[in-house]
Amino acid sequence: QMQLVESGGGLVQPGGSLRLSCIASGSIFSINAMGWYRQAPGKQRDLVAAITSGGSTNYADSVKGRFTISRDAAKNTVYLQMNSLKPEDTAVYYCNARKRIKGTSYDYWGQGTQVTVSS
């Protein structure tokens, strides 16, 4: 099994910044990609940003130019730097890791961390 532990959420004013961290432990072999999703109350969970094992990144249009995903392979950690935060960024942010083994994908999730953007 693999465990994902997020940290770094909190309350920030509009225009502020936060950095989320996600540490993977346990059975971390064969991770194909890691990413961040978010879910606001009453809404579905959506992709925010993802990074593959090769370093390719993908962002939701709503966060392009404001958020940056990065990883430290030696620490099994992925980060989400969030700048110029807006009230609509308020959500629970979940770390995701995807493994691909013999053609089948497996998703793992962290417990989530709350991000609230409000004055």
Side-chain angles (χ1 to χ4, degrees), residues 7 13 28 34 41 52 65 85 89 110:
S7 62
Q13 292 186 341
I28 61 173
M34 294 188 71
T52 69
L85 283 160
D89 294 318

Side-chain angles (χ1 to χ4, degrees), residues 10 24 37 43 73 76 85 88-89:
Y37 287 69
K43 296 189 176 181
N76 300 318
L85 283 160
E88 51 264 43
D89 294 318

Side-chain angles (χ1 to χ4, degrees), residues 11-18 66-67 81-90 116-119:
L11 172 65
V12 63
Q13 292 186 341
S17 298
L18 283 175
R66 300 188 298 123
F67 291 10
Q81 178 66 43
M82 305 186 292
N83 299 328
S84 302
L85 283 160
K86 304 175 181 180
E88 51 264 43
D89 294 318
T90 296
T116 302
V117 184
S118 175
S119 55

Side-chain angles (χ1 to χ4, degrees), residues 88-104:
E88 51 264 43
D89 294 318
T90 296
V92 178
Y93 284 68
Y94 295 92
C95 180
N96 168 268
R98 176 165 293 176
K99 289 188 177 183
R100 190 164 179 83
I101 302 173
K102 296 182 179 180
T104 301

